[in-house]
Amino acid sequence: MVPASPAVAGVVPASPADAGAVPASPAVAASVFGERLGVAERYAGLLATEGVVRGLIGPRETPRLWDRHLVNCGVMAEMIPAGASVVDVGSGAGLPGLVLAIARPDLAVTLVEPLARRTSFLDEAVLVLGLDNVTVLRGRAEEVVDQLPGADVVTARAVAALDKLAGWCLPLAAVGGRLLAMKGLSAAEEIAEHAAAVEALGGGAAEIRLCGNGLIDPPTTVVEIVKERHVLPGRQRGGSSAARGASRSSRSAGTGNRGGGRGRSRRG
C-alpha cells in the first residue's frame, strides 16, 4: 500500500472517512513505468484520496485505479516519440496527460482543462510529484489554441464523439502532428461515421492502434489521426465552428506553449 503523500502548501489531506484505500501497484505497472513507478504510486495515492474527496474519481473506481486508469493510459507512451510536445485536452484528474508525463519525463506536457477545481488538483499534483515537464492551462481547447504552438501529439480520453474530438484537438496539433484519442469498442464505428468530418478538419484517415499488447488484456484502443493540413477557423465545410462544421460535413456525406516549468497554471 502506498503511504499518503505528505502535506504541502495548498494541499489539504483527504479525510480518512471519505477517501478510499490506496491500491497496491500490480506487477505490470513496473513494466509500464519502470524507474518512475514510485512517482506513479504517489499519483495513485493522490487519486485515491484527494481525487475522491474532490469528486474527480468515483469511490468505486479506487480499486480499479491501476488497471482501468494508470496502466491503461501509461501504455500509450509507446506511441509517442522521444522529446515530443504533448497537449492533453480535457485532462480532468490528469488522465492520460499526467500519466504520460510521469512515465516519460522527456515529454513536454500541457494539460488543458476548463474547470478550476480540476486545474487546482492538477497544479497540486504537479507540485507534490515534482514534475518539471508539465504545464497546467485552464481553458477550453478552442479558447487556448492561439496560446500554444502546434503540438507533436494531442491526446484525449473518450470525452466526446470522434468528430467533436477532432474539432477540438486537431487545431492544437502541428501539421504532421497526431491526435491520439483513447476509445472503446465503438472505435471502428466512430471512424466510419465521422470520416468526412475528420477530413474536413484537416485530418488524414483514422487508424486504430492497440497499445500494451502482451502486457494488458484487453490492450488500450487508440484512434490515431495525423493532421495533414491546417484548416483556418470558419473554413470547415458546413459552418464556422470546427465541431459544428465537421459534424454537418459528416452528415452530408452520409456518415454520420510547449510544456515546461514546475506547475505553471495559466488561465485561458
Side-chain angles (χ1 to χ4, degrees):
M1 181 175 295
V2 181
S5 298
V8 298
V11 181
V12 180
S15 165
D18 296 327
V22 182
S25 58
V28 68
S31 298
V32 174
F33 293 99
E35 64 182 15
R36 305 281 288 173
L37 179 60
V39 183
E41 289 175 334
R42 293 196 295 275
Y43 177 48
L46 288 175
L47 289 176
T49 53
E50 284 299 308
V52 172
V53 170
R54 300 187 189 193
L56 305 182
I57 294 290
R60 294 182 180 179
E61 291 298 300
T62 300
R64 303 186 291 181
L65 277 178
W66 285 100
D67 61 344
R68 186 178 175 87
H69 300 290
L70 300 181
V71 171
N72 194 43
C73 291
V75 293
M76 286 180 63
E78 68 189 47
M79 294 190 65
I80 303 177
S85 58
V86 178
V87 174
D88 185 41
V89 172
S91 200
L95 305 165
L98 202 53
V99 176
L100 295 173
I102 291 170
R104 293 280 303 279
D106 61 298
L107 303 178
V109 179
T110 299
L111 308 178
V112 176
E113 168 56 50
L115 296 185
R117 66 185 177 89
R118 294 176 180 171
T119 55
S120 177
F121 171 83
L122 293 172
D123 277 330
E124 293 165 8
V126 167
L127 178 62
V128 168
L129 301 176
L131 299 176
D132 293 321
N133 60 329
V134 179
T135 295
V136 179
L137 181 57
R138 184 182 169 199
R140 300 182 183 278
E142 59 269 32
E143 296 171 342
V144 305
V145 65
D146 292 331
Q147 301 178 39
L148 298 172
D152 300 317
V153 175
V154 181
T155 58
R157 191 186 191 204
V159 295
L162 193 58
D163 58 339
K164 290 185 178 180
L165 275 183
W168 295 333
C169 297
L170 285 178
L172 293 165
V175 174
R178 295 176 295 154
L179 164 60
L180 301 180
M182 297 180 68
K183 286 290 182 179
L185 297 177
S186 64
E189 295 177 6
E190 286 197 49
I191 288 174
E193 180 180 359
H194 301 299
V198 170
E199 191 277 334
L201 290 159
E207 301 284 349
I208 294 177
R209 309 296 186 196
L210 300 179
C211 300
N213 274 309
L215 285 177
I216 57 175
D217 186 20
T220 298
T221 300
V222 176
V223 174
E224 178 184 34
I225 300 173
V226 176
K227 180 173 177 175
E228 295 184 339
R229 68 189 190 284
H230 183 64
V231 177
L232 294 175
R235 295 295 298 276
Q236 294 84 5
R237 298 179 206 161
S240 59
S241 163
R244 291 197 300 271
S247 296
R248 281 198 288 268
S249 294
S250 176
R251 290 195 296 271
S252 68
T255 58
N257 162 13
R258 196 169 176 87
R262 178 168 301 192
R264 289 188 299 157
S265 181
R266 293 183 286 155
R267 178 67 172 95

